[in-house]
Amino acid sequence: MDIPCSLQERKILEKIALAAQELKVPAYLIGGFVRDKLLGRRTKDMDIVCVGDGIALAHKLAASLGDHVPVSFFKTYGTAQVKWNDLEMEFVGARKESYRQESRNPEVTEGSLQDDQNRRDFTINALAISLRDEDYGSLLDPFNGLADLDAKIIRTPLEPAQTFSDDPLRMMRAIRFASQLQFTIVPEAFQAIQENAERIRIITQERITDEFNKIMLSPKPSVGLDLLYKSGLLKIIFPQMIDLVGVEMYEGKGHKDNFYHTLQVVDNIAQHTKDLWLRWAALLHDIGKPATKKFEPGHGWTFHGHDAVGGKMVTRIFSRFKLPMGDKMKLVKKLVELHLRPISLTKENITDSAIRRLLFDAGDDIDGLMLLCEADITSKNKVKVKRYLENFELVRARMKEVEETDRIRNWQPPITGEIIMETFALTPGRVVGDLKTAIREAILDGEIPNTYEAAYAYMLEKAKSYNLTPVK
Ligand code: ATP
Ligand code: MG
């Protein structure tokens, strides 16, 4: 076997081969695992196809591994899964698929290895390695997938229009692999994607989002995002992004193309973090621009309030994409809302209180916010970029100083609502909120020190304007 496997993987493949021999079914390692190993990528998911009953083979293997190795299987699909240490093995009987226009679901019948390879989406995903006794370890590559791996090409085994029309998710997968592996989709396949883009509508949002996120996690997400745009898929799955495309001219003045700017920002942040949600924040940071765009005579193009409008759009977009609506959404929303703030701190004569305020508003997400802001600098002028980045370094240094003295990050003001209510025998209401805010603002503005005593005294003083006197 000429793929670089670990000792554990080699052992398990031998056990699968033995189990298959005992059942007298020819078995093959196929798909992503073979592709990724040949490319030297990390992978733990093995796909095994056998000409016969895949579920029976999974059970046979599990029994040979020990007493309590669980097998999960799906009778309707004829698939089974065995987990062993950190390996996941997926078993399936070789099948032949025929599609009808009206439905996503093909007619599936038992087939040969060749039939099974025909139904695979790309030549590089159809490579198989024999686990049979007579030719153990040899590569079975009817579509020259190995050559395509070398040439870094994505090509369908059969006619591309048919392949994409049969299962439109493959269009997303083609673009995802192009972005993930930095491969090129052959022109005839890309053209077939453009022609079949509309068919993506029959695919569930969850599966689209899965592929989209893999594009976002790829080394240079702009590759996939631009292909989504050029294929016509983006218009269907993410119309808000299309609104960012283009440059409008008025009185000889244009603004930057916010779509390509955004792609650059996503690539920039991708160089510094693998965090999907920070990458999403980069993708959405300017999403409010089209809705707030104005031409102001004598001034030029403005996008006032695009941060707040963008923040609101985050919720809707997450919901459309069926992304998690909890903390992750809140993080992205917050970063979009705050993305202009650090830039305003690079001006001269910035007070400690402006720094404190940002630390307070951003809390634990300040590091992510700074990454986003640095990624947002996309000027072609290298000197300018360097100067901006240096300015951000100064802001970081100031933040560190202020944080060391004031501990504002994750800070709660020393006087709580409960203390205010107890002191003045108040029930919850507007006055309590007003007093609480006043104390917090006074501390953030540096008007009073961040101590219980100072805040308590300030509260008593402030309370006078509400005609309140302490009850104890
Ligand atoms: P990854 O694991 O990185 O998502 P993969 O290629 O391994 O990539 P899987 O979903 O694990 O993708 O599928 C395993 C194999 O099954 C693929 O390599 C391919 O041969 C086949 N396959 C998966 N999805 C499709 C599809 N929509 N159409 C045709 N073949 C597919
Ligand atoms: Mg896989």
Side-chain angles (χ1 to χ4, degrees):
M1 179 153 329
D2 45 7
I3 60 170
C5 286
S6 70
L7 199 61
Q8 174 179 250
E9 288 162 350
R10 255 166 231 283
K11 271 196 177 146
I12 205 97
L13 286 170
E14 277 160 22
K15 280 191 189 281
I16 297 169
L18 210 64
Q21 254 175 47
E22 282 173 23
L23 292 177
K24 299 201 167 45
V25 292
Y28 310 85
L29 181 60
I30 194 164
F33 187 85
V34 181
R35 176 199 69 220
D36 286 342
K37 284 287 178 187
L38 286 168
L39 287 172
R41 299 179 83 231
R42 267 165 53 101
T43 172
K44 292 284 166 210
D45 302 348
M46 287 183 175
D47 290 295
I48 312 288
V49 62
C50 69
V51 186
D53 184 349
I55 298 178
L57 179 55
H59 278 113
K60 187 94 187 162
L61 169 74
S64 79
L65 290 172
D67 277 345
H68 301 290
V69 178
V71 180
S72 36
F73 60 94
F74 308 91
K75 255 211 154 84
T76 16
Y77 301 109
T79 61
Q81 199 190 53
V82 179
K83 285 191 189 167
W84 175 250
N85 296 337
D86 57 348
L87 287 176
E88 266 185 46
M89 288 152 282
E90 192 80 40
F91 291 83
V92 63
R95 52 195 177 184
K96 190 180 164 117
E97 288 180 353
S98 15
Y99 285 83
R100 278 160 299 136
Q101 183 69 19
E102 330 74 72
S103 155
R104 247 221 87 206
N105 301 320
E107 236 170 71
V108 181
T109 50
E110 281 172 26
S112 62
L113 172 69
Q114 174 85 49
D115 290 327
D116 201 90
Q117 284 173 306
N118 282 338
R119 74 172 182 89
R120 303 269 159 180
D121 48 5
F122 307 113
T123 58
I124 59 168
N125 285 349
L127 293 159
I129 288 179
S130 171
L131 301 177
R132 303 181 307 177
D133 201 25
E134 62 266 34
D135 57 355
Y136 188 82
S138 56
L139 189 70
L140 304 161
D141 179 15
F143 310 112
N144 281 323
L146 196 58
D148 288 349
L149 266 188
D150 272 345
K152 297 178 178 289
I153 278 175
I154 293 167
R155 183 201 309 275
T156 57
L158 307 178
E159 211 266 305
Q162 193 64 47
T163 304
F164 293 126
S165 167
D166 282 350
D167 178 359
L169 183 72
R170 294 168 180 164
M171 301 189 284
M172 292 289 299
R173 282 174 56 90
I175 292 175
R176 182 257 285 196
F177 287 122
S179 201
Q180 213 174 34
L181 307 175
Q182 317 211 32
F183 276 31
T184 309
I185 302 172
V186 293
E188 58 273 27
F190 194 68
Q191 197 186 334
I193 296 178
Q194 290 173 315
E195 287 162 8
N196 283 279
E198 277 294 324
R199 279 188 58 78
I200 198 67
R201 294 187 197 277
I202 66 170
I203 301 295
T204 62
Q205 185 61 50
E206 286 80 354
R207 301 183 80 202
I208 292 174
T209 296
D210 232 35
E211 295 301 328
F212 191 87
N213 281 342
K214 286 183 181 169
I215 292 171
M216 288 300 286
L217 286 170
S218 63
K220 219 175 147 205
S222 66
V223 172
L225 294 168
D226 198 28
L227 287 172
L228 284 177
Y229 168 53
K230 292 190 170 132
S231 65
L233 285 166
L234 197 64
K235 186 165 69 148
I236 302 166
I237 65 168
F238 203 164
Q240 296 92 334
M241 284 294 294
I242 300 293
D243 296 338
L244 292 170
V245 174
V247 176
E248 202 173 325
M249 295 294 290
Y250 191 76
E251 289 181 355
K253 282 190 182 170
H255 53 76
K256 65 183 160 198
D257 181 317
N258 287 307
F259 179 72
Y260 284 106
H261 162 70
T262 294
L263 264 45
Q264 178 73 56
V265 178
V266 176
D267 280 356
N268 287 351
I269 209 165
Q271 289 187 3
H272 295 103
T273 178
K274 289 191 172 9
D275 187 299
L276 177 62
W277 308 107
L278 291 182
R279 292 178 179 207
W280 262 97
L283 186 71
L284 298 182
H285 79 286
D286 274 349
I287 202 75
K289 275 196 168 173
T292 53
K293 184 162 95 172
K294 277 206 184 68
F295 188 86
E296 292 180 8
H299 197 71
W301 293 100
T302 61
F303 304 90
H304 292 308
H306 77 270
D307 37 356
V309 170
K312 289 213 180 76
M313 290 174 72
V314 170
T315 320
R316 269 176 275 147
I317 291 167
F318 265 57
S319 158
R320 177 191 180 116
F321 270 81
K322 294 198 156 56
L323 288 165
M325 297 300 285
D327 290 351
K328 302 304 178 195
M329 193 272 285
K330 286 197 193 120
L331 165 71
V332 174
K333 190 175 158 74
K334 183 164 157 189
L335 295 189
V336 172
E337 282 168 353
L338 295 179
H339 83 272
L340 299 174
R341 295 272 296 277
I343 302 167
S344 68
L345 296 183
T346 58
K347 313 251 159 64
E348 275 169 37
N349 304 325
I350 294 300
T351 57
D352 274 4
S353 82
I355 304 262
R356 264 198 297 272
R357 201 165 280 283
L358 182 63
L359 283 171
F360 178 72
D361 289 340
D364 267 345
D365 302 321
I366 188 72
D367 296 332
L369 180 64
M370 291 306 285
L371 279 185
L372 171 60
C373 291
E374 283 162 349
D376 199 6
I377 303 166
T378 60
S379 166
K380 290 205 170 58
N381 181 338
K382 289 218 166 73
V383 181
K384 248 186 176 173
V385 172
K386 191 163 170 277
R387 197 177 65 231
Y388 278 131
L389 289 176
E390 282 166 2
N391 287 344
F392 273 128
E393 272 318 304
L394 293 179
V395 174
R396 277 182 197 269
R398 283 282 295 282
M399 287 195 317
K400 199 159 168 256
E401 269 169 41
V402 172
E403 177 60 18
E404 265 162 20
T405 35
D406 295 356
R407 303 263 159 236
I408 287 295
R409 213 165 144 164
N410 289 326
W411 166 76
Q412 287 303 326
I415 299 287
T416 62
E418 283 73 38
I419 299 176
I420 298 172
M421 288 190 283
E422 271 175 35
T423 312
F424 303 105
L426 289 170
T427 48
R430 194 177 58 87
V431 178
V432 182
D434 285 355
L435 281 173
K436 221 173 105 176
T437 309
I439 298 165
R440 188 190 69 210
E441 296 297 294
I443 296 174
L444 288 174
D445 282 342
E447 214 177 300
I448 57 168
N450 180 19
T451 62
Y452 180 84
E453 291 70 27
Y456 195 82
Y458 185 83
M459 170 186 74
L460 293 181
E461 191 52 38
K462 199 81 196 158
K464 287 182 190 157
S465 56
Y466 291 90
N467 286 328
L468 293 173
T469 39
V471 291
K472 53 175 185 180

